[in-house]
Amino acid sequence: MPNAKVLEQKKAQVASLVEKIKNSPAGVLVDYKGINVADDTALRKELREAGVEYSVVKNTMLKFAAQELGFDGLIEHLHGTTAIAIGSDDVVAPAKILAKFAKTHDNFTVKVGFLEGAVVPASKVDELAKLPSKEVLIAQTLYSFNYPIMQLAIALNAIAEKGEADQEALVSTLVAEKTAEAAE
């Protein structure tokens, strides 16, 4: 049995982990075995730049945190080496970065994830990773709002151009008639 000081430290670690997971909209657990230091450093850099907190955690600490949060679906995946990536702003970022990394590294696998307070399987994490980025989704939404207005402007412009062409044809016809009358 650990002494009181060590036990308090572990309880503090679990409480910190619970707080991070509770305040995060999304996260992913991965099995990181078999990656080298250079790849791990590059992965951590990419995650950090995306605002994702990535850390290696002990399975027992994560188990206690999952039990406290009611994430019982995480517990069955807590074996082997485990790291957790927790997103703060962009819900898709942890899944996107880790799924891309897992495709190029055989031993690196996505175990499970959580999204808005619910545990999601690795297949759902992969689906989430395939979603466009937040910026692309915003651009697509704005385009869909602007598309009808843009089409209206094009149609009005075509009507105006046709009207100008019709007016020019009418003027030239009238000029030709008046010129013919004056010649008579």
Side-chain angles (χ1 to χ4, degrees), residues 30-33 57-59 77-83 111:
V30 295
D31 185 349
Y32 64 90
K33 72 175 173 255
V57 292
K58 288 188 173 188
N59 288 330
H77 299 281
L78 299 177
H79 51 80
T81 57
T82 304
K111 290 182 175 185

Side-chain angles (χ1 to χ4, degrees), residues 130-148:
K130 292 175 185 172
L131 287 176
S133 68
K134 183 178 180 180
E135 292 78 19
V136 171
L137 288 173
I138 290 170
Q140 288 174 342
T141 302
L142 291 175
Y143 179 78
S144 68
F145 288 149
N146 286 335
Y147 185 77

Side-chain angles (χ1 to χ4, degrees), residues 53-66:
E53 184 179 336
Y54 178 80
S55 59
V56 173
V57 292
K58 288 188 173 188
N59 288 330
T60 53
M61 299 295 171
L62 196 52
K63 177 183 174 189
F64 290 130

